[in-house]
Amino acid sequence: MTLSTKHLLGIKDLTKEDISLILSTANQFKEVLQRPVKKVPSLRDVTVVNLFFENSTRTRMSFELAEKRLSADTLNFSASASSVKKGETLLDTVNNILSMKVDMVVMRHSASGAPHFLAKHIDAAIINAGDGINEHPTQALLDAFSMKEKFGTLEGLKVAIIGDVMHSRVALSNIYLLKKMGAEIVVCGPPTLIPKYLQEALDVHIEYKVKDALDWCDVANVLRIQLERQNQPLFSSLREYNLAYGINRKLLDSLKKEIVIMHPGPINRGVELDSDVADGEFSIILNQVENGVAVRMAALYLLSGKV
């Protein structure tokens, strides 16, 4: 089987069958990663450039490791140390890199739609590693893989997405994916951090009380407060946010059931999650990081044309 699309620009563009194929392929690659020799020759002779115009730790390292595990040749680009600082355009930058015979581009950019723009102008396969406040498809895929690994299915799963939904590309990709795979979704946060269009446009329920969201859900996917994307104060203080929407052990203990805690990282400890929750027995945050390598291996392999 092959994907229905040449690029991975967003979950919005994928079919349910595409998502299932990526997750099943990731499961095979996760088995590879448990072996003493974790490398396979699947992308030998394929050259991948990691084109990061925004800072990243987990996503960039995860892609680099996935490429190395697949035996691809990798080229790492950092905007801060490139001719972009001299005024070079995005298209010129990429075309210069592609003239070195690069086959695939993994791209993170602060402008929403940047990977889609590139896809219209170049032939190489593009994987969106996060574009502005639009989408982060591989994060949603690894979140889904982690949930499916824990529960066996996504169908009927109750997922609460809690926090700064307004500025989160992770939230939008997760909503698209979970809706396609039959899960139920609630988004929760301060009214100033929840887009008003969500309920009508994407058919998701909005909840403003974190206790009610946690009482309802099987999984709480907690988002980082993205102060760097906020042009004006949207709540009075981080302390106030923590008191109203932060998840701590006392709150979890007050629930009548156990729930799974997830977070795409980086975590603002003491703001959206207390440390005893982030590091506690209900947390699968480090599993998400581990699963990210297998999921990105699957995406790279399926888009490489080597299938």
Side-chain angles (χ1 to χ4, degrees), residues 56-74:
S56 172
T57 302
R58 276 155 299 280
T59 301
R60 183 167 187 160
M61 290 181 68
S62 185
F63 268 112
E64 288 180 23
L65 188 54
E67 291 150 12
K68 287 178 168 61
R69 295 291 189 235
L70 291 166
S71 303
D73 295 320
T74 61

Side-chain angles (χ1 to χ4, degrees), residues 53-173:
F53 290 85
E54 272 190 326
N55 293 334
S56 172
T57 302
R58 276 155 299 280
T59 301
R60 183 167 187 160
M61 290 181 68
S62 185
F63 268 112
E64 288 180 23
L65 188 54
E67 291 150 12
K68 287 178 168 61
R69 295 291 189 235
L70 291 166
S71 303
D73 295 320
T74 61
L75 180 64
N76 293 311
F77 170 93
S78 174
S80 62
S82 74
S83 292
V84 170
K85 287 290 186 180
K86 303 175 185 177
E88 186 172 66
T89 67
L90 172 60
L91 196 54
D92 281 342
T93 298
V94 175
N95 278 329
N96 275 284
I97 292 169
L98 292 180
S99 68
M100 303 174 198
K101 307 304 178 188
V102 169
D103 304 297
M104 303 181 73
V105 176
V106 176
M107 181 182 182
R108 168 169 286 195
H109 203 285
S110 60
S112 297
H116 304 72
F117 168 77
L118 269 195
K120 294 176 181 178
H121 291 88
I122 66 174
D123 292 328
I126 297 172
I127 296 179
N128 180 5
D131 64 320
I133 58 172
N134 181 35
E135 280 215 54
H136 193 350
T138 58
Q139 181 68 47
L141 286 162
L142 74 88
D143 289 347
F145 184 90
S146 302
M147 285 184 250
K148 191 173 182 183
E149 190 176 55
K150 183 74 176 177
F151 293 95
T153 183
L154 298 175
E155 185 79 33
L157 196 65
K158 295 180 177 179
V159 182
I161 300 174
I162 301 171
D164 188 358
V165 178
M166 175 79 74
H167 302 96
S168 176
R169 52 197 173 202
V170 173
L172 193 56
S173 286

